[in-house]
Amino acid sequence: PQFLKGERIEAEQIRYLFNYSRLWQVAILLMATVAVVPLVCVTIFDYNVTQSAMKSEILLRTSRLASNTKRSIDAFLEAHKAALDFVVHDNDLQALQDARHLEKILRDLDDSFGEFIDLGVIDANGRQTTYVGPFNLEGKDYSPQGWFQEVAEEGIHISDVFLGYRQLPHIVIAVKHSLPNGSFYVLRATIDTEKFNRILSELEISGSGDAFLINRNGTIQTPTRSFGGVFQASPLPVPAYAEHTEVYETQTPEGTHLIVGYAYIPSTSFILMIVKQTDLVMQGWYATRLD
């Protein structure tokens, strides 16, 4: 337009006087605003929605992994408990108190599962009447111990991981069997935790992930990659009880942001922890957010 070139327009050539340069600038500004503002709004909306969708997908994957791992651990424990239940239903008390017969049962269980270390029969007074295994525990009195009180009342006991005589981590599973005369006895087995640990160590977890068990006191029960050794206190707080798998976000005292999935293992004091570093699992988003 001539008015933008600085050329003068004679007053007589126009009927009305306008500031054409000003009108031109306003028109350009309005057109640019109409074009750019919706674009900026859509960009911000898409940025937030994409980020939220990616994080939701990561949380869902963490929850699914925790649920599947919980089922694997529960199945491991249930299989060993079912084996002991079968033994007490398939053999009478007299047969189980025969050390040779009990030793054969131990060999059969170990051949089938590979984790049974010893077996013991404990009467209603808490005295171990028969024992087969690497230690001399026959006649040991368990009546003052909390686990014996638990199995007498609940019918089942699955212990925390502990060292015991061998100074190697293992767990104990004990089942109660009622007798026709109203009394009962307990079949107690010690289980090696090597396969137990392998279930967790073989998990492929993104974001420098970690999978381990703690008990309800916050003591680590299985090896971890980044959160301490077995029997150390977990740096993560014990999560609130939940019947189903839960996922939450937190951060370490050093400021590392974490995504944590957890699940309480039924009939035990174990809590499964699946931990991922947020920054690492969100790297895909960080790489594309500028685009």
Side-chain angles (χ1 to χ4, degrees), residues 77 150 156-160 171-174 266-270:
L77 296 173
E150 179 184 343
I156 176 69
H157 167 76
I158 300 176
S159 74
D160 289 352
I171 60 175
V172 162
I173 300 178
S267 303
T268 74
S269 65
F270 296 138

Side-chain angles (χ1 to χ4, degrees), residues 225-239:
R225 298 187 181 101
S226 309
F227 294 91
V230 179
F231 306 126
Q232 292 182 354
S234 170
L236 299 175
V238 177

